[in-house]
Amino acid sequence: MALVSGSDGLRSALAHPNTRQFLKFAAVGLASLAVEYAFLVYLLQSLNMNYLMATTISFIISIVFNYILSMKYVFVHKEDMSRRREFIIFSVLSAIGLGLNDLYMFIGVGLLNVGTMSMKLISTFFVTWYNYFSRRKFLDAGHA
């Protein structure tokens, strides 16, 4: 009997709008991470770029990709907000995320000697939470 109620609880949690929104956010985030990671590898290995510069450039590329997918599939556009203002807010929130990302990379790679790619995954985990809640608060008409 407990198994049935457990699966009912899981079904109920997955049916909750916040859970569905976060799962969409996570899917968009994974796609954006794949784009960012591919560019990071290319910039580091093919162009021998400094890890902080490569991290910054790959992160910026992923912002544009993420904005398009996030505003199409995850968040509800606020009708009283122009797309230009929406993108500016998205970019400012992302710039703060970039600052956190670079700070984590500097501490992990530069000070603690964690591998660049491993630290990128760790950094992404922490920045994801900031990104979700800040974008939801400032950009999502469904959670204004």
Side-chain angles (χ1 to χ4, degrees), residues 78-109:
K78 291 183 176 184
E79 292 300 322
D80 62 342
M81 184 183 297
S82 71
R83 292 290 182 177
R84 181 175 185 258
R85 183 166 187 235
E86 180 181 79
F87 184 74
I88 290 169
I89 291 170
F90 190 94
S91 296
V92 168
L93 295 173
S94 296
I96 294 168
L98 172 61
L100 291 170
N101 181 65
D102 284 355
L103 176 65
Y104 297 146
M105 291 298 289
F106 173 74
I107 291 170
V109 176

Side-chain angles (χ1 to χ4, degrees), residues 20-38:
R20 285 196 318 264
Q21 183 184 41
F22 185 79
L23 290 174
K24 288 188 236 176
F25 177 82
V28 166
L30 286 173
S32 298
L33 176 61
V35 167
E36 181 179 2
Y37 205 80

Side-chain angles (χ1 to χ4, degrees), residues 14 17-36 65-66 69-71 73-75 124-125 127-129 131-133 135-136:
L14 290 174
N18 290 342
T19 304
R20 285 196 318 264
Q21 183 184 41
F22 185 79
L23 290 174
K24 288 188 236 176
F25 177 82
V28 166
L30 286 173
S32 298
L33 176 61
V35 167
E36 181 179 2
F65 182 78
N66 193 290
L69 294 181
S70 289
M71 297 315 295
Y73 298 111
V74 180
F75 300 114
T124 298
F125 174 80
V127 173
T128 295
W129 293 108
N131 283 336
Y132 176 69
F133 287 110
R135 291 173 188 171
R136 184 173 147 174

